[in-house]
Amino acid sequence: MTTARPRRGLRELPRLARLGLLSCAPLLAAAPAAAAEPHVAVASGGRAPAPSAPPMPAAPGTIEVRVALSRGAAEEVSSVRLRRLLEIELPDGVTLGAEPVGPLGDRVASVWVDRPTAARLEIQVRLDGRAVVRRQIAVSGLTSDVAARLVAIAASEMIVAEVRRARAPRRPPAPRRPTADEIELASRDLDALSVSAGPYAAVVSGGPRALAGAGIALGLRRLRLTESLFARLLTTPSGGDTMRWLEGGLSGDYRFWLTASWRLSVGAAASVASVRLPAASSVDGIPGERDTWSARAGVGLGVETRLGGPLWLGLTLDPGVVLRPARYQQHARGAAGAVEGAWLGVGLSLATERRSSAPR
């Protein structure tokens, strides 16, 4: 018959009280055993008692503790005494295995007691394949029974701590914050509103040869494709045929990032212009007329560099052609002319962007 566990109240007593009570356990156990021997002999007719049944397997849901000692630890602590004390210390739901080894399982706690030095014992506990936890106990000058008590108490505390840690809810890992390169790469595909302005100059093959002025543009970028509305005011320099060119148009371009601070753009543009020729005697064959309209189309090639934050400095080459010639005749010379032919524009711009949302 297996010995019944002591009541739970005994395990709830302070550690020193338990140590004092346990020291009397051999005497208390010996007296009932001695008194029972004659009775067993009479009842059985002098025959030896039947061997006890093998230990039952642990109930489902309980944790089985398997204890093993090294050769050095076995010389300091009795294995039988340690197992008896450890069985008393173990809480509910944790049972002591009959053997130090056994079938593999998910609810098995392995206890290994070693003696790395003559004055210390080391306890190693591993539960369900988790990381091994260790604790050392100084046993120099202690009797074998006291050392066994200390090892049993320490091993029980380690097992309880591992059980609580295994049952504690696991917190999900903290989300990884994106790096600066990942944020910059993701920002290239975000929607953005841009405003740019700067000087602009153009050369026309027919009519006044050179124009200069300034322009402004408002753009919306979506998936690296930017659609812009722009306006420019250009005039001819003094000393030649005077002309004012006021245009408004629509452009679209796609940007290619070379690095985080450099990007290229390729696109196309079309515009309609109001043309005024103050020195003309007639425009489009109408005497006394000085105003007309024109249109042009072309492609755009640009390069931009980041000055810092949302500020970009860009250089744009704008080749194209005048779609509607603006014909005129001068007052003084009476010579006819026309604003027509090829168009080559060069612009310098300072742009700022505001993204719809920043990646986190």
Side-chain angles (χ1 to χ4, degrees):
M1 301 295 291
T2 58
T3 304
R5 282 192 182 180
R7 294 181 180 179
R8 185 177 181 85
L10 182 57
R11 299 200 309 272
E12 302 294 338
L13 296 177
R15 184 179 301 176
L16 295 179
R18 296 205 308 270
L19 292 177
L21 291 176
L22 291 176
S23 63
C24 300
L27 298 178
L28 295 177
E37 285 181 358
H39 177 73
V40 172
V42 173
S44 60
R47 291 176 298 174
S52 59
M56 299 297 292
T62 61
I63 297 177
E64 180 183 358
V65 178
R66 298 170 182 171
V67 184
L69 283 74
S70 67
R71 180 178 300 179
E75 294 176 356
E76 177 69 24
V77 178
S78 170
S79 175
V80 176
R81 182 63 173 162
L82 174 60
R83 290 175 57 84
R84 185 178 301 172
L85 295 174
L86 183 58
E87 186 175 12
I88 296 174
E89 292 292 333
L90 291 177
D92 293 338
V94 182
T95 61
L96 185 65
E99 299 293 338
V101 295
L104 301 179
D106 294 334
R107 303 185 63 81
V108 175
S110 301
V111 180
W112 172 256
V113 183
D114 196 8
R115 190 179 185 182
T117 63
R120 290 184 177 275
L121 289 177
E122 183 180 73
I123 307 170
Q124 301 179 11
V125 175
R126 182 173 64 184
L127 175 63
D128 294 345
R130 300 167 64 92
V132 178
V133 292
R134 295 176 173 85
R135 183 183 298 182
Q136 290 191 354
I137 297 178
V139 294
S140 178
L142 300 179
T143 64
S144 176
D145 186 70
V146 174
R149 296 169 191 267
L150 295 178
V151 172
I153 293 173
S156 175
E157 293 176 349
M158 296 169 67
I159 293 172
V160 171
E162 286 299 294
V163 171
R164 290 176 179 174
R165 188 178 294 110
R167 292 176 179 176
R170 295 183 179 180
R171 295 181 179 180
R176 185 183 67 86
R177 299 187 64 86
T179 63
D181 292 339
E182 291 173 342
I183 293 176
E184 194 280 328
L185 185 62
S187 66
R188 301 176 184 179
D189 295 325
L190 293 177
D191 296 347
L193 183 66
S194 63
V195 178
S196 62
Y200 184 88
V203 176
V204 188
S205 61
R209 300 297 182 181
L211 298 171
I216 187 171
L218 176 65
L220 177 63
R221 188 179 76 223
R222 189 175 184 85
L223 298 178
R224 305 192 185 187
L225 180 62
T226 304
E227 299 86 16
S228 302
L229 293 174
F230 65 89
R232 296 190 183 100
L233 176 60
L234 307 176
T235 60
T236 56
S238 59
D241 296 340
T242 59
M243 182 180 70
R244 185 199 67 187
W245 179 282
L246 177 61
E247 70 174 359
L250 177 66
S251 67
D253 59 77
Y254 189 85
R255 284 176 168 80
F256 302 88
W257 267 259
L258 302 178
T259 65
S261 299
W262 289 90
R263 64 190 183 188
L264 300 177
S265 62
V266 178
S271 65
V272 177
S274 172
V275 183
R276 183 173 179 83
L277 300 162
S281 59
S282 65
V283 175
D284 292 336
I286 303 174
E289 184 66 46
R290 294 180 176 85
D291 296 303
T292 186
W293 69 278
S294 183
R296 70 176 187 90
V299 298
L301 304 173
V303 59
E304 294 176 288
T305 181
R306 188 193 299 270
L307 298 180
L311 293 178
W312 292 82
L313 179 64
L315 177 65
T316 304
L317 185 64
D318 188 17
V321 63
V322 177
L323 299 178
R324 183 183 185 277
R327 304 184 185 279
Y328 63 92
Q329 189 171 7
Q330 293 288 359
H331 274 295
R333 299 189 300 268
V339 182
E340 60 183 355
W343 177 288
L344 179 61
V346 178
L348 188 66
S349 64
L350 182 64
T352 180
E353 295 180 345
R354 181 178 179 83
R355 302 188 186 101
S356 58
S357 61
R360 297 181 179 179

